Amino acid sequence: MIKVLFFAHLREMAGTNSVEVPLGDMALASDLLTGLKGYVPDALLNELQDQSAMVSINHRYAGWQGQLEEGAEVGILPPVSGG
């Protein structure tokens, strides 16, 4: 299983702080874009499609090409702007 945490408005869109999904055939964080289907609203998946959100794996920024492994904790954070 992989635990996926959502932050800020992405948490509101998900309707939950986190979900757990089976690793299955997912190898990269980008595979979550399909692996989360059925676990979160489609509106959230559509929001994530451009991959502008930041991804951490096990508390380290990893990006959408980060490698997933069984038991990983993945954070999905909205992009940050400001000065």
Side-chain angles (χ1 to χ4, degrees):
M1 296 295 276
I2 297 171
K3 185 174 186 178
V4 182
L5 307 170
F6 303 100
F7 295 90
H9 79 279
L10 300 177
R11 175 177 49 223
E12 295 172 16
M13 292 181 76
T16 184
N17 294 339
S18 65
V19 295
E20 291 193 13
V21 296
L23 178 62
D25 293 335
M26 294 188 291
L28 302 175
S30 60
D31 293 332
L32 286 167
L33 297 173
T34 54
L36 286 171
K37 190 163 183 71
Y39 292 92
V40 298
D42 287 345
L44 174 58
L45 295 176
N46 291 337
E47 175 83 10
L48 298 175
Q49 287 299 315
D50 68 0
Q51 300 184 8
S52 63
M54 301 184 72
V55 174
S56 67
I57 299 175
N58 296 329
H59 310 283
R60 292 179 178 238
Y61 286 113
W64 288 98
Q65 298 307 310
Q67 296 283 319
L68 297 177
E69 60 186 36
E70 185 67 29
E73 183 177 275
V74 177
I76 302 179
L77 306 90
V80 178
S81 64

Coordinates of all heavy atoms in Angstrom, one line a residue:
M1 N 0.8 -1.2 0.0 CA 0.0 0.0 0.0 C 0.9 1.2 0.0 O 2.0 1.2 0.5 CB -0.9 0.0 1.2 CG -1.9 -1.1 1.3 SD -3.1 -1.1 0.0 CE -4.3 0.0 0.7
I2 N 0.3 2.3 -0.6 CA 1.0 3.6 -0.6 C 0.0 4.6 0.1 O -1.2 4.5 -0.1 CB 1.2 4.1 -2.0 CG1 2.2 3.2 -2.7 CG2 1.7 5.5 -2.0 CD1 2.3 3.5 -4.2
K3 N 0.5 5.4 1.0 CA -0.3 6.4 1.6 C -0.1 7.7 0.9 O 1.1 8.1 0.7 CB 0.0 6.6 3.1 CG -0.9 7.5 3.8 CD -0.6 7.5 5.3 CE -1.6 8.4 6.1 NZ -1.3 8.3 7.5
V4 N -1.1 8.3 0.4 CA -1.1 9.6 -0.3 C -1.7 10.7 0.5 O -2.9 10.6 0.9 CB -1.8 9.5 -1.7 CG1 -1.6 10.8 -2.5 CG2 -1.2 8.3 -2.5
L5 N -0.9 11.7 0.8 CA -1.4 12.8 1.6 C -1.6 14.0 0.7 O -0.9 14.3 -0.3 CB -0.3 13.2 2.6 CG 0.2 12.1 3.5 CD1 1.4 12.6 4.3 CD2 -0.9 11.7 4.5
F6 N -2.7 14.7 1.0 CA -3.1 15.9 0.2 C -3.0 17.2 1.1 O -3.3 17.1 2.2 CB -4.5 15.8 -0.4 CG -4.7 14.5 -1.2 CD1 -5.3 13.4 -0.6 CD2 -4.3 14.5 -2.5 CE1 -5.5 12.3 -1.4 CE2 -4.4 13.3 -3.3 CZ -5.0 12.2 -2.7
F7 N -2.5 18.3 0.5 CA -2.3 19.5 1.2 C -3.1 20.6 0.6 O -3.4 20.6 -0.6 CB -0.8 19.8 1.3 CG -0.1 18.8 2.1 CD1 0.5 17.7 1.5 CD2 0.1 18.9 3.5 CE1 1.2 16.7 2.2 CE2 0.8 17.9 4.2 CZ 1.3 16.9 3.5
A8 N -3.4 21.6 1.5 CA -4.1 22.8 1.0 C -5.4 22.5 0.2 O -6.1 21.7 0.6 CB -3.1 23.7 0.3
H9 N -5.6 23.3 -0.9 CA -6.9 23.1 -1.6 C -7.0 21.7 -2.2 O -8.1 21.2 -2.5 CB -7.1 24.2 -2.6 CG -6.3 24.0 -3.9 ND1 -5.0 24.3 -4.0 CD2 -6.7 23.5 -5.1 CE1 -4.6 24.0 -5.2 NE2 -5.6 23.5 -5.9
L10 N -5.9 21.0 -2.4 CA -6.0 19.6 -2.9 C -6.6 18.7 -1.9 O -7.4 17.8 -2.3 CB -4.6 19.1 -3.3 CG -3.8 19.9 -4.4 CD1 -2.4 19.4 -4.6 CD2 -4.6 20.0 -5.7
R11 N -6.4 19.0 -0.6 CA -7.1 18.2 0.5 C -8.6 18.4 0.4 O -9.4 17.5 0.5 CB -6.5 18.6 1.8 CG -7.2 18.0 3.0 CD -6.6 18.3 4.3 NE -6.4 19.7 4.5 CZ -5.3 20.3 5.0 NH1 -4.3 19.6 5.4 NH2 -5.2 21.6 5.1
E12 N -8.9 19.7 0.2 CA -10.4 20.0 0.1 C -11.0 19.3 -1.1 O -12.1 18.8 -1.0 CB -10.6 21.5 0.0 CG -10.1 22.2 1.3 CD -10.1 23.7 1.2 OE1 -10.7 24.3 0.3 OE2 -9.5 24.4 2.1
M13 N -10.3 19.3 -2.2 CA -10.8 18.7 -3.4 C -10.9 17.2 -3.2 O -11.9 16.5 -3.7 CB -9.9 19.0 -4.6 CG -10.0 20.4 -5.1 SD -8.9 20.7 -6.5 CE -10.0 20.0 -7.8
A14 N -9.9 16.6 -2.5 CA -10.0 15.1 -2.2 C -11.1 14.7 -1.2 O -11.6 13.6 -1.2 CB -8.6 14.7 -1.7
G15 N -11.4 15.7 -0.4 CA -12.4 15.4 0.6 C -11.9 14.6 1.8 O -12.6 14.1 2.6
T16 N -10.6 14.5 1.9 CA -9.9 13.8 2.9 C -8.4 14.2 3.0 O -7.9 14.8 2.0 CB -10.0 12.3 2.7 OG1 -9.4 11.6 3.8 CG2 -9.3 11.9 1.4
N17 N -7.8 14.0 4.1 CA -6.4 14.3 4.3 C -5.5 13.3 3.5 O -4.4 13.7 3.1 CB -5.9 14.3 5.7 CG -6.6 15.4 6.5 OD1 -7.0 16.4 6.0 ND2 -6.7 15.2 7.8
S18 N -5.9 12.1 3.4 CA -5.1 11.0 2.8 C -5.9 9.8 2.4 O -7.1 9.7 2.8 CB -4.1 10.5 3.9 OG -4.7 9.9 4.9
V19 N -5.3 9.1 1.5 CA -5.9 7.8 1.1 C -4.8 6.8 1.0 O -3.6 7.1 0.8 CB -6.7 7.9 -0.3 CG1 -7.8 8.8 -0.3 CG2 -5.7 8.3 -1.4
E20 N -5.2 5.5 1.1 CA -4.2 4.4 0.9 C -4.6 3.7 -0.3 O -5.8 3.3 -0.4 CB -4.1 3.6 2.2 CG -3.5 4.3 3.3 CD -3.1 3.3 4.5 OE1 -3.1 2.1 4.3 OE2 -2.8 3.9 5.5
V21 N -3.7 3.5 -1.2 CA -4.0 2.7 -2.4 C -2.9 1.6 -2.6 O -1.8 1.7 -2.2 CB -3.9 3.7 -3.7 CG1 -5.0 4.7 -3.6 CG2 -2.6 4.3 -3.8
P22 N -3.3 0.5 -3.2 CA -2.3 -0.5 -3.5 C -1.3 -0.1 -4.5 O -1.6 0.6 -5.4 CB -3.2 -1.7 -4.0 CG -4.5 -1.1 -4.5 CD -4.6 0.2 -3.7
L23 N 0.0 -0.5 -4.3 CA 1.0 -0.2 -5.2 C 0.8 -0.8 -6.6 O 1.0 -0.1 -7.6 CB 2.4 -0.7 -4.7 CG 3.6 -0.5 -5.5 CD1 3.9 1.0 -5.7 CD2 4.8 -1.2 -4.9
G24 N 0.3 -2.0 -6.6 CA 0.0 -2.6 -7.9 C 1.1 -2.5 -8.9 O 2.3 -2.7 -8.6
D25 N 0.8 -2.0 -10.1 CA 1.8 -1.8 -11.2 C 2.4 -0.4 -11.2 O 3.2 -0.1 -12.1 CB 1.1 -2.1 -12.5 CG 0.7 -3.5 -12.7 OD1 1.3 -4.4 -12.0 OD2 -0.3 -3.8 -13.5
M26 N 2.1 0.4 -10.2 CA 2.6 1.7 -10.2 C 4.1 1.7 -9.9 O 4.5 1.1 -8.9 CB 1.9 2.6 -9.2 CG 0.4 2.9 -9.6 SD -0.4 4.1 -8.6 CE -0.5 3.2 -7.0
A27 N 4.9 2.4 -10.7 CA 6.3 2.5 -10.5 C 6.8 3.9 -10.2 O 7.7 4.1 -9.4 CB 7.1 1.9 -11.7
L28 N 6.1 4.9 -10.8 CA 6.4 6.3 -10.6 C 5.3 7.1 -10.0 O 4.1 6.7 -10.1 CB 6.8 6.9 -12.0 CG 7.9 6.2 -12.8 CD1 8.0 6.9 -14.2 CD2 9.2 6.3 -12.1
A29 N 5.6 8.2 -9.4 CA 4.6 9.0 -8.8 C 3.5 9.4 -9.9 O 2.4 9.5 -9.6 CB 5.2 10.2 -8.2
S30 N 4.0 9.6 -11.1 CA 3.0 10.0 -12.2 C 2.0 8.9 -12.4 O 0.9 9.2 -12.9 CB 3.8 10.3 -13.5 OG 4.5 9.2 -13.9
D31 N 2.3 7.7 -12.0 CA 1.3 6.6 -12.2 C 0.1 6.8 -11.2 O -0.9 6.2 -11.4 CB 2.0 5.2 -11.9 CG 3.0 4.9 -13.0 OD1 2.9 5.3 -14.1 OD2 4.0 4.1 -12.6
L32 N 0.3 7.6 -10.2 CA -0.8 7.9 -9.3 C -1.9 8.6 -10.0 O -3.1 8.6 -9.6 CB -0.3 8.7 -8.1 CG 0.5 8.0 -7.1 CD1 1.2 9.0 -6.1 CD2 -0.4 7.0 -6.3
L33 N -1.6 9.3 -11.1 CA -2.7 10.0 -11.8 C -3.8 9.0 -12.3 O -4.9 9.4 -12.5 CB -2.1 10.8 -13.0 CG -1.1 11.9 -12.6 CD1 -0.5 12.5 -13.8 CD2 -1.8 12.9 -11.8
T34 N -3.4 7.8 -12.5 CA -4.4 6.8 -12.9 C -4.7 5.9 -11.7 O -5.8 5.4 -11.5 CB -3.9 5.9 -14.1 OG1 -2.7 5.3 -13.8 CG2 -3.9 6.7 -15.3
G35 N -3.7 5.7 -10.8 CA -3.8 4.8 -9.7 C -4.8 5.3 -8.6 O -5.3 4.6 -7.8
L36 N -5.0 6.6 -8.6 CA -5.9 7.2 -7.6 C -7.4 7.2 -8.1 O -8.2 7.6 -7.3 CB -5.5 8.7 -7.3 CG -4.2 8.8 -6.4 CD1 -3.8 10.3 -6.4 CD2 -4.5 8.3 -5.0
K37 N -7.6 6.8 -9.4 CA -8.9 6.8 -9.9 C -9.8 5.9 -9.0 O -9.4 4.8 -8.7 CB -8.9 6.4 -11.3 CG -10.3 6.6 -12.0 CD -10.1 6.5 -13.5 CE -11.4 6.8 -14.2 NZ -11.9 8.2 -14.1
G38 N -10.9 6.4 -8.6 CA -11.8 5.7 -7.8 C -11.6 5.9 -6.3 O -12.5 5.6 -5.5
Y39 N -10.5 6.5 -5.9 CA -10.2 6.8 -4.5 C -10.4 8.3 -4.2 O -10.6 8.7 -3.1 CB -8.7 6.5 -4.2 CG -8.5 5.0 -4.2 CD1 -8.0 4.4 -5.4 CD2 -8.7 4.2 -3.1 CE1 -7.8 3.0 -5.4 CE2 -8.4 2.9 -3.1 CZ -8.0 2.3 -4.3 OH -7.7 0.9 -4.3
V40 N -10.3 9.1 -5.3 CA -10.5 10.6 -5.1 C -11.4 11.1 -6.2 O -11.5 10.4 -7.3 CB -9.2 11.4 -5.1 CG1 -8.3 10.9 -3.9 CG2 -8.4 11.2 -6.4
P41 N -12.0 12.2 -6.0 CA -12.9 12.7 -7.1 C -12.1 13.0 -8.4 O -11.0 13.4 -8.4 CB -13.4 14.0 -6.5 CG -13.3 13.9 -5.0 CD -12.1 13.0 -4.8
D42 N -12.8 12.8 -9.5 CA -12.2 13.0 -10.8 C -11.7 14.5 -11.0 O -10.7 14.7 -11.7 CB -13.2 12.7 -12.0 CG -13.4 11.2 -12.1 OD1 -12.6 10.4 -11.6 OD2 -14.4 10.8 -12.8
A43 N -12.4 15.4 -10.3 CA -12.0 16.8 -10.4 C -10.6 17.0 -9.9 O -9.8 17.8 -10.4 CB -13.0 17.7 -9.6
L44 N -10.2 16.3 -8.8 CA -8.9 16.4 -8.3 C -7.9 15.8 -9.3 O -6.8 16.3 -9.6 CB -8.8 15.6 -7.0 CG -7.3 15.5 -6.4 CD1 -6.7 16.9 -6.2 CD2 -7.4 14.8 -5.1
L45 N -8.2 14.6 -9.9 CA -7.3 14.0 -10.9 C -7.1 15.0 -12.1 O -6.0 15.1 -12.6 CB -7.8 12.7 -11.3 CG -7.9 11.6 -10.2 CD1 -8.5 10.4 -10.8 CD2 -6.5 11.3 -9.7
N46 N -8.2 15.6 -12.5 CA -8.0 16.6 -13.6 C -7.1 17.8 -13.2 O -6.3 18.2 -14.0 CB -9.4 17.1 -14.0 CG -10.2 16.1 -14.7 OD1 -9.7 15.1 -15.2 ND2 -11.6 16.2 -14.6
E47 N -7.2 18.2 -11.9 CA -6.4 19.3 -11.4 C -4.9 18.9 -11.4 O -4.0 19.7 -11.7 CB -6.8 19.6 -10.0 CG -5.9 20.6 -9.3 CD -6.3 22.1 -9.6 OE1 -7.3 22.3 -10.2 OE2 -5.5 23.0 -9.2
L48 N -4.6 17.6 -11.2 CA -3.2 17.1 -11.1 C -2.6 16.8 -12.5 O -1.4 16.6 -12.6 CB -3.2 15.9 -10.2 CG -3.6 16.1 -8.8 CD1 -3.6 14.7 -8.0 CD2 -2.7 17.1 -8.1
Q49 N -3.4 16.7 -13.5 CA -3.0 16.2 -14.8 C -1.8 17.0 -15.4 O -0.9 16.5 -16.1 CB -4.1 16.2 -15.9 CG -5.1 15.1 -15.7 CD -4.5 13.7 -15.8 OE1 -3.7 13.5 -16.7 NE2 -4.8 12.9 -14.9
D50 N -1.7 18.3 -15.1 CA -0.6 19.1 -15.7 C 0.7 18.9 -14.9 O 1.7 19.5 -15.2 CB -1.0 20.6 -15.8 CG -1.2 21.3 -14.4 OD1 -1.0 20.6 -13.4 OD2 -1.5 22.5 -14.4
Q51 N 0.6 18.2 -13.8 CA 1.7 17.8 -13.0 C 2.5 19.1 -12.4 O 3.7 19.1 -12.2 CB 2.7 16.9 -13.7 CG 2.1 15.6 -14.1 CD 3.0 14.6 -14.7 OE1 4.2 14.8 -14.8 NE2 2.5 13.5 -15.2
S52 N 1.7 20.2 -12.2 CA 2.3 21.4 -11.6 C 2.4 21.3 -10.1 O 3.2 22.0 -9.5 CB 1.6 22.6 -12.0 OG 0.2 22.6 -11.5
A53 N 1.6 20.3 -9.5 CA 1.7 20.1 -8.1 C 3.1 19.5 -7.7 O 3.7 18.8 -8.6 CB 0.6 19.2 -7.6
M54 N 3.5 19.7 -6.5 CA 4.8 19.2 -6.1 C 4.5 17.8 -5.4 O 3.5 17.6 -4.8 CB 5.5 20.1 -5.2 CG 5.8 21.5 -5.8 SD 6.7 22.6 -4.8 CE 8.3 21.8 -4.9
V55 N 5.5 16.9 -5.6 CA 5.3 15.6 -5.0 C 6.5 15.3 -4.1 O 7.7 15.5 -4.5 CB 5.3 14.5 -6.1 CG1 5.3 13.1 -5.6 CG2 4.1 14.8 -7.0
S56 N 6.2 14.7 -2.9 CA 7.3 14.2 -2.1 C 7.0 12.8 -1.9 O 5.9 12.3 -1.9 CB 7.3 15.0 -0.7 OG 6.1 14.7 0.0
I57 N 8.1 12.0 -1.7 CA 8.1 10.6 -1.4 C 8.9 10.4 -0.1 O 10.1 10.7 -0.1 CB 8.5 9.7 -2.5 CG1 7.7 10.0 -3.8 CG2 8.5 8.3 -2.1 CD1 8.2 9.2 -5.0
N58 N 8.2 9.9 0.9 CA 8.9 9.7 2.2 C 9.6 10.9 2.7 O 10.8 10.9 3.1 CB 9.8 8.5 2.1 CG 9.1 7.2 1.8 OD1 8.0 7.0 2.2 ND2 9.7 6.3 1.1
H59 N 8.9 12.0 2.6 CA 9.3 13.3 3.2 C 10.4 14.0 2.4 O 11.0 14.9 3.0 CB 9.7 13.2 4.7 CG 8.7 12.5 5.5 ND1 7.5 13.0 5.9 CD2 8.6 11.2 5.9 CE1 6.8 12.1 6.6 NE2 7.5 11.0 6.6
R60 N 10.7 13.6 1.2 CA 11.7 14.3 0.4 C 11.0 14.7 -1.0 O 10.3 13.8 -1.6 CB 12.9 13.4 0.1 CG 13.7 13.1 1.3 CD 14.8 12.2 1.0 NE 15.6 12.0 2.2 CZ 16.9 12.3 2.3 NH1 17.5 12.8 1.2 NH2 17.5 12.2 3.4
Y61 N 11.3 15.9 -1.4 CA 10.7 16.2 -2.8 C 11.3 15.3 -3.8 O 12.5 15.0 -3.9 CB 11.1 17.7 -3.1 CG 10.3 18.7 -2.3 CD1 10.8 19.5 -1.4 CD2 8.9 18.8 -2.6 CE1 10.1 20.4 -0.7 CE2 8.1 19.7 -1.8 CZ 8.7 20.5 -0.9 OH 8.0 21.4 -0.2
A62 N 10.4 14.8 -4.6 CA 10.8 13.7 -5.6 C 10.3 14.1 -7.0 O 10.9 13.6 -8.0 CB 10.2 12.4 -5.2
G63 N 9.3 14.8 -7.1 CA 8.7 15.1 -8.5 C 7.9 13.9 -8.9 O 7.8 12.9 -8.3
W64 N 7.3 14.1 -10.1 CA 6.4 13.1 -10.6 C 7.1 11.9 -11.2 O 6.5 10.9 -11.5 CB 5.5 13.8 -11.7 CG 4.5 14.7 -11.1 CD1 4.5 16.0 -11.0 CD2 3.2 14.3 -10.5 NE1 3.4 16.5 -10.3 CE2 2.6 15.5 -10.0 CE3 2.6 13.1 -10.2 CZ2 1.4 15.5 -9.3 CZ3 1.4 13.1 -9.6 CH2 0.8 14.3 -9.1
Q65 N 8.4 12.0 -11.3 CA 9.2 10.9 -11.8 C 9.8 10.1 -10.7 O 10.6 9.2 -10.9 CB 10.2 11.3 -12.8 CG 9.6 12.0 -14.1 CD 8.6 11.1 -14.8 OE1 8.8 9.9 -15.0 NE2 7.4 11.6 -15.0
G66 N 9.5 10.5 -9.5 CA 10.0 9.7 -8.3 C 9.5 8.3 -8.3 O 8.4 8.0 -8.7
Q67 N 10.4 7.4 -7.8 CA 10.1 6.0 -7.7 C 9.2 5.7 -6.5 O 9.5 6.1 -5.4 CB 11.4 5.2 -7.6 CG 12.3 5.3 -8.8 CD 11.8 4.5 -10.0 OE1 11.4 3.4 -9.8 NE2 11.9 5.0 -11.2
L68 N 8.2 4.9 -6.8 CA 7.3 4.5 -5.7 C 7.8 3.1 -5.2 O 8.3 2.3 -6.0 CB 5.8 4.4 -6.2 CG 5.2 5.7 -6.6 CD1 3.8 5.4 -7.1 CD2 5.2 6.7 -5.5
E69 N 7.5 2.8 -3.9 CA 7.8 1.5 -3.4 C 6.8 1.2 -2.3 O 6.1 2.1 -1.8 CB 9.2 1.5 -2.7 CG 9.4 2.5 -1.6 CD 10.8 2.5 -1.1 OE1 11.8 2.4 -1.9 OE2 11.0 2.7 0.1
E70 N 6.6 -0.1 -2.1 CA 5.6 -0.5 -1.1 C 5.8 0.2 0.2 O 7.0 0.3 0.7 CB 5.7 -2.0 -0.9 CG 4.6 -2.6 0.0 CD 3.2 -2.5 -0.6 OE1 3.1 -2.5 -1.8 OE2 2.3 -2.4 0.2
G71 N 4.8 0.7 0.8 CA 4.8 1.4 2.1 C 5.2 2.9 2.0 O 5.3 3.5 3.0
A72 N 5.4 3.4 0.8 CA 5.8 4.8 0.6 C 4.7 5.7 1.1 O 3.5 5.4 1.1 CB 6.1 5.1 -0.8
E73 N 5.1 6.9 1.6 CA 4.2 8.0 1.9 C 4.4 9.1 0.9 O 5.5 9.6 0.8 CB 4.4 8.5 3.3 CG 3.4 9.5 3.7 CD 3.6 9.9 5.2 OE1 3.1 9.3 6.1 OE2 4.3 10.9 5.4
V74 N 3.4 9.4 0.1 CA 3.5 10.4 -0.9 C 2.7 11.6 -0.6 O 1.6 11.5 -0.2 CB 3.0 9.8 -2.3 CG1 3.0 10.9 -3.4 CG2 3.8 8.6 -2.7
G75 N 3.4 12.8 -0.6 CA 2.7 14.0 -0.4 C 2.5 14.7 -1.7 O 3.3 14.8 -2.5
I76 N 1.3 15.3 -1.9 CA 1.0 16.1 -3.1 C 0.6 17.5 -2.6 O -0.4 17.6 -1.9 CB -0.1 15.4 -3.9 CG1 0.3 14.0 -4.3 CG2 -0.4 16.3 -5.2 CD1 -0.8 13.2 -5.2
L77 N 1.4 18.4 -3.0 CA 1.3 19.8 -2.6 C 1.0 20.7 -3.8 O 1.7 20.5 -4.8 CB 2.6 20.3 -1.9 CG 3.1 19.4 -0.7 CD1 4.0 18.3 -1.2 CD2 3.7 20.2 0.3
P78 N 0.2 21.7 -3.6 CA -0.1 22.6 -4.7 C 1.2 23.5 -4.9 O 2.0 23.7 -4.0 CB -1.2 23.5 -4.2 CG -1.2 23.3 -2.8 CD -0.6 22.0 -2.4
P79 N 1.3 24.0 -6.1 CA 2.5 24.9 -6.4 C 2.4 26.1 -5.5 O 1.3 26.6 -5.1 CB 2.3 25.3 -7.9 CG 1.0 24.8 -8.3 CD 0.5 23.9 -7.3
V80 N 3.6 26.6 -5.1 CA 3.7 27.8 -4.2 C 4.2 28.9 -5.0 O 5.1 28.8 -5.8 CB 4.6 27.4 -3.1 CG1 4.8 28.7 -2.2 CG2 4.1 26.2 -2.3
S81 N 3.6 30.1 -4.8 CA 4.1 31.3 -5.4 C 4.2 32.4 -4.4 O 3.6 32.3 -3.3 CB 3.2 31.7 -6.6 OG 2.0 32.0 -6.2
G82 N 4.8 33.5 -4.7 CA 4.9 34.6 -3.8 C 6.3 35.1 -3.7 O 7.2 34.6 -4.4
G83 N 6.5 36.1 -2.9 CA 7.8 36.7 -2.9 C 8.4 36.6 -1.5 O 8.0 36.0 -0.6

